[in-house]
Amino acid sequence: RIFNGDRDASSWTLDGGSGSLMIEWKPEIRGRYIVLINRNSGPGADPWGSASVKINGKSIGPMAKDFSGGMVLVIDLGSAILLKDAKFDISGSTYPGLAGLEIYP
């Protein structure tokens, strides 16, 4: 679910600078690494700003503030866990979004 945003064939984006992305896995999946692939809008474009991440309802802390167009960010959970959901609360400046999200054990 995307709050205050839209999805098209190749990516999703927020309507403005702030909003949330909520992902739910049914059934749960096992993963240690969450790979976020930002949209191909170029370095510095569409930054996420001060974004935070919750996994299974538990805060894992803030994300890198410079996550923007063309970048890939790897979140290491420390060990493989069962993933039920992930929520990204974003406070960027202009149309932050994603082209992909991948999970690895």
Side-chain angles (χ1 to χ4, degrees):
R1 294 181 284 174
I2 301 166
F3 301 97
N4 299 327
D6 297 297
R7 176 163 177 76
D8 65 19
S10 63
S11 66
W12 75 266
T13 184
L14 293 174
D15 290 336
S18 298
S20 299
L21 169 66
M22 176 75 169
I23 301 164
E24 297 174 323
W25 291 279
K26 294 180 184 177
E28 301 167 345
I29 61 171
R30 182 168 292 283
R32 173 179 175 168
Y33 301 99
I34 299 174
V35 178
L36 303 174
I37 305 160
N38 209 314
R39 296 182 313 134
N40 190 20
S41 53
D46 309 326
W48 279 39
S50 57
S52 62
V53 184
K54 289 183 181 175
I55 303 294
N56 298 337
K58 185 184 243 183
S59 178
I60 63 165
M63 290 178 42
K65 289 187 178 185
D66 62 349
F67 185 56
S68 62
M71 296 180 78
V72 173
L73 180 70
V74 178
I75 298 171
D76 183 354
L77 301 174
S79 62
I81 63 170
L82 283 178
L83 295 167
K84 300 174 197 169
D85 58 65
K87 184 177 183 189
F88 302 90
D89 290 313
I90 303 159
S91 295
S93 56
T94 55
Y95 308 109
L98 275 182
L101 181 142
E102 299 174 359
I103 307 294
Y104 293 95

